[in-house]
Amino acid sequence: MQERLVDRRPEVPADQLVAQMVPPPMFDEVGFDTYIPDPNEPSQAAAVAAGRAFAGKVAAIHKATHKKTLFGKKKPAQGAGLYLDGGFGVGKTHLLASIFHSAPAPRSFGTFGELTNLVGALGFTNAVERLSANSVLCIDEFELDDPGDTMLVSRLLTELSAVGVSIAATSNTLPGQLGEGRFAAQDFLREIKKLGSIFDTARVNGPDYRHRDLPPAPEPSSPEQLVDRAASTPGASLDDFDALLQHLSTLHPSKYGALIDGVAAVLISGVHPVTDQAVALRLVVLADRLYDAGTPVTVSGAKLDEIFSQEMLDGGYRKKYLRAISRLLALSRFEVAA
């Protein structure tokens, strides 16, 4: 019988939420030495140097914070901060994962959305307690489009920094807004008011590496081709788009990673532009988890670069939607190439 995601109802114990806060599998082996700066983009080499220097600070602060004296543990040193500001596909996540791998354990890595989900699942005080022993907290794609979540995370980072946890974060500035990067950084620093003074900002310019010299979005498969591909691909799932969207609404976003765990390829029939914001945001989280897992995606219906309506793309969550499209296209090309 063909597997369907809609038949899965994963449960993720709260205790596992912190343990699974690590870089996506595709970044398991990365480091500063494996980041190849574009010679035409000097900011990339500068960002690597900034990341290396920050990793050194993290180790020193963590050692000082947890060093015991004759009179007991010393007062925690203030955590350091690094903000990597740039467009899609310039290697910010690679650098962030390199910082994670260079830092002493314990350490945590997750997207902004995963962090807010963690706080929601554990409660604020419990989340602070569980993360306070970290040497560093790495936050990928820090988002400014939800004031409530932003201020919640700002409060969390303030308390963690005060006990010696360093913070590294990336932005979600669009390639077409590179000239506005300074303002994006200022928005970030303003939101985390108490942390603003400790953050250094490193700009990472360049084109989206996922789409360099690549053709436009692949043409969707026919419904018949999709069924045949699902049948011939061990471990693949095949779902109707609307049924999958409805299923996502019944699951907490923190479970989306478990939803696709072990799935070799995700095939979706009847894709069409999404016009509801709540539905679109759930789809963004699923796209992030699929990309983290490197799971190939094939669809029938509309092209993946048409999955969000123009009204959605013109709204306040434009950055999230374009990031999701970029990642889904990369996954769809991977499947076509395979």
Side-chain angles (χ1 to χ4, degrees):
M1 183 177 178
Q2 181 63 57
E3 181 167 6
R4 303 187 305 170
L5 295 181
V6 295
D7 295 327
R8 291 184 161 206
R9 300 203 65 85
E11 292 296 332
V12 183
D15 289 347
Q16 293 184 14
L17 292 178
V18 174
Q20 68 189 22
M21 289 190 70
V22 296
M26 68 178 65
F27 296 105
D28 280 348
E29 305 297 329
V30 303
F32 296 115
D33 290 337
T34 62
Y35 183 100
I36 309 301
D38 185 336
N40 297 317
E41 298 291 350
S43 66
Q44 294 187 8
V48 173
R52 287 185 188 276
F54 177 75
K57 290 181 182 179
V58 170
I61 292 171
H62 186 67
K63 181 178 180 179
T65 297
H66 294 273
K67 182 179 180 180
K68 292 186 178 181
T69 69
L70 294 175
F71 304 100
K73 187 179 292 187
K74 295 174 61 178
K75 180 180 179 181
Q78 179 82 6
L82 180 65
Y83 173 57
L84 298 167
D85 182 37
F88 301 135
V90 294
K92 300 189 309 296
T93 303
H94 183 134
L95 292 173
L96 194 65
S98 299
I99 290 170
F100 174 89
H101 292 310
S102 299
R107 61 223 165 157
S108 298
F109 182 109
T111 64
F112 181 87
E114 287 175 314
L115 189 59
T116 59
N117 289 337
L118 177 74
V119 176
L122 298 181
F124 184 86
T125 301
N126 193 6
V128 171
E129 291 176 354
R130 289 172 180 267
L131 296 173
S132 61
N134 277 11
S135 65
V136 69
L137 173 61
C138 298
I139 309 172
D140 203 16
E141 303 294 355
F142 198 104
E143 296 166 355
L144 296 170
D145 43 30
D146 188 320
D149 282 347
T150 301
M151 294 310 294
L152 172 68
V153 174
S154 298
R155 179 185 166 205
L156 176 71
L157 302 190
T158 299
E159 297 203 13
L160 291 176
S161 180
V163 295
V165 180
S166 295
I167 312 294
T170 70
S171 75
N172 53 8
T173 304
L174 295 173
Q177 298 177 327
L178 293 181
E180 301 172 19
R182 183 171 302 173
F183 296 102
Q186 289 302 315
D187 287 343
F188 176 82
L189 299 179
R190 184 180 65 248
E191 289 298 331
I192 43 178
K193 298 172 183 177
K194 295 180 181 179
L195 289 176
S197 62
I198 71 165
F199 268 83
D200 295 323
T201 302
R203 182 72 196 169
V204 193
N205 295 326
D208 188 337
Y209 76 90
R210 290 186 287 264
H211 308 306
R212 289 175 191 164
D213 303 318
L214 291 175
E219 289 295 325
S221 300
S222 69
E224 296 75 19
Q225 289 173 325
L226 206 64
V227 171
D228 290 343
R229 185 183 290 264
S232 62
T233 305
S237 64
L238 175 59
D239 289 86
D240 171 75
F241 187 55
D242 286 328
L244 178 58
L245 295 180
Q246 173 59 33
H247 187 56
L248 292 179
S249 71
T250 69
L251 299 175
H252 190 276
S254 64
K255 299 179 180 180
Y256 288 9
L259 178 68
I260 62 168
D261 186 38
V263 177
V266 167
L267 291 80
I268 307 173
S269 63
V271 168
H272 59 78
V274 172
T275 58
D276 181 271
Q277 183 167 278
V279 174
L281 291 174
R282 286 192 285 268
L283 190 55
V284 167
V285 177
L286 179 63
D288 285 342
R289 299 293 78 76
L290 288 168
Y291 186 74
D292 289 347
T295 306
V297 175
T298 306
V299 304
S300 70
K303 292 183 180 181
L304 284 169
D305 59 359
E306 300 170 351
I307 201 166
F308 301 109
S309 69
Q310 191 59 49
E311 182 181 4
M312 294 288 100
L313 293 176
D314 290 340
Y317 294 102
R318 173 180 172 84
K319 294 178 180 180
K320 284 186 178 182
Y321 299 147
L322 290 180
R323 183 186 76 225
I325 290 172
S326 174
R327 292 182 165 185
L328 288 172
L329 289 181
L331 295 172
S332 69
R333 290 183 178 121
F334 178 71
E335 172 66 6
V336 168

